[in-house]
Amino acid sequence: MYDIEIFKRGISLDIKEFFAYGEKVPGYDVRVLNEREARAAAGLLFIGAFIGLTNGVMLGTAVFSKYFITFFTLDFLIRVINPRYSPSLLLGRFFVRDQTPEYVGAAQKRFAWALGLFIALPMFYYLVIDFQPNPLKVLVCLICMALLFFESAFSVCLGCKIFNLIKKEKATHCPGGVCEMRTKDPIQKFTPAQVVIVLFTVGLIFYGTYAYMTKLEDKTFFMKKMKTLFMSQEALDELEYQKELDEFENDDDF
């Protein structure tokens, strides 16, 4: 009888541990996750999203995107339930397995991944179940890619920042220690000359992007697709009318 009670208690503890979010690590007052795994996973997902986007705008096919968005949605659903079994996080763990873990609070990461799932669900519906691509959905994909890139490259977790804004009890152990109050070291500060260089670089990037998108001739499928995506319905109707007119004139020539 005593052995049965111990067995039941052991099962109960196992179930509780299975549904517990995050890991217990000595020295931390909250459950935590390994930020290095999360950053590696974000980088892998960014690559998949980038391949899907380039396939769509350059080759005119959404096959890869449909498979990727399905995987992305399922992966984030698993992350919100229990990140121990997320495929992308496990792949990230493989690549950073020899690096010292960087522990961050699990609560704010769960909130951030819930926001990711919130973005993924409409993309899954409109690009997989009921395929309806338009500029707004492309913009949502670009925002998602930007969030993945910022987490992977700079360890910036936007969801963690939002978590701190809406929660009374502030998060602790955020990526890069941004949740803890501290002063910046001299190497983290900008001199006036450095500020000018940064502003000039950002301005140059924006101007280069604008020039590329507006002044380059429509010699590639990519440019034609991008310009068509951002046209108004009136402009699209005019373009279609002109196309039909050209085809009619060509038929008359014969």
Side-chain angles (χ1 to χ4, degrees), residues 7 30 119 154 169 187 209:
F7 178 72
V30 295
I119 295 174
F154 310 123
E169 188 175 341
I187 197 171
T209 304

Side-chain angles (χ1 to χ4, degrees), residues 66-157:
K66 289 182 177 182
Y67 283 107
F68 172 76
I69 291 172
T70 302
F71 173 82
F72 183 92
T73 305
L74 179 62
D75 184 72
F76 267 73
L77 178 62
I78 295 172
R79 288 189 189 199
V80 172
I81 298 172
N82 195 327
R84 294 188 187 101
Y85 307 101
S86 160
S88 66
L89 289 175
L90 292 175
L91 284 173
R93 176 178 298 182
F94 172 78
F95 286 108
V96 300
R97 63 190 184 279
D98 295 326
Q99 300 178 17
T100 302
E102 179 187 346
Y103 293 116
V104 295
Q108 60 265 33
K109 294 298 291 186
R110 187 180 206 177
F111 178 82
W113 291 336
L115 291 180
L117 179 61
F118 179 76
I119 295 174
L121 288 174
M123 285 198 302
F124 176 75
Y125 179 79
Y126 286 112
L127 295 178
V128 178
I129 298 176
D130 184 18
F131 188 68
Q132 298 180 27
N134 63 41
L136 180 61
K137 297 178 183 69
V138 173
L139 180 61
V140 172
C141 291
L142 291 175
I143 291 173
C144 186
M145 288 178 63
L147 294 175
L148 290 172
F149 177 79
F150 271 74
E151 181 175 5
S152 175
F154 310 123
S155 195
V156 173
C157 177

Side-chain angles (χ1 to χ4, degrees), residues 9-21 31 82 84:
R9 190 179 303 172
I11 292 177
S12 177
L13 290 174
D14 287 341
I15 293 174
K16 287 182 179 179
E17 185 60 28
F18 176 82
F19 286 104
Y21 201 85
R31 287 184 173 269
N82 195 327
R84 294 188 187 101

Side-chain angles (χ1 to χ4, degrees), residues 51-66:
I51 293 173
L53 181 65
T54 52
N55 270 261
V57 298
M58 293 184 180
L59 302 179
T61 175
V63 174
F64 184 90
S65 294
K66 289 182 177 182

Side-chain angles (χ1 to χ4, degrees), residues 4 7 14 28 45 57 59 77 85 91-92 95 97 102 126 151 155 188-189 211 221 223 230-231 234 240 245-246 249:
I4 293 176
F7 178 72
D14 287 341
Y28 289 84
L45 291 176
V57 298
L59 302 179
L77 178 62
Y85 307 101
L91 284 173
F95 286 108
R97 63 190 184 279
E102 179 187 346
Y126 286 112
E151 181 175 5
S155 195
Q188 296 175 282
K189 299 178 182 178
F221 178 82
M223 288 307 303
F230 289 96
M231 282 183 177
E234 184 179 350
E240 186 64 26
L245 185 63
D246 291 341
E249 291 176 351

Side-chain angles (χ1 to χ4, degrees), residues 1 7 16 21 34 42 44 48 57 105-106 127 139 163 172 219 237 242 245 252:
M1 187 67 178
F7 178 72
K16 287 182 179 179
Y21 201 85
N34 186 359
L44 294 172
V57 298
L127 295 178
L139 180 61
F163 180 90
T172 58
K219 292 184 177 180
D237 292 340
Q242 187 62 43
L245 185 63
D252 286 346

Side-chain angles (χ1 to χ4, degrees), residues 24-39:
K24 288 183 178 179
V25 175
Y28 289 84
D29 54 345
V30 295
R31 287 184 173 269
V32 294
L33 298 168
N34 186 359
E35 176 65 10
R36 294 190 188 277
E37 291 179 9
R39 291 181 65 182

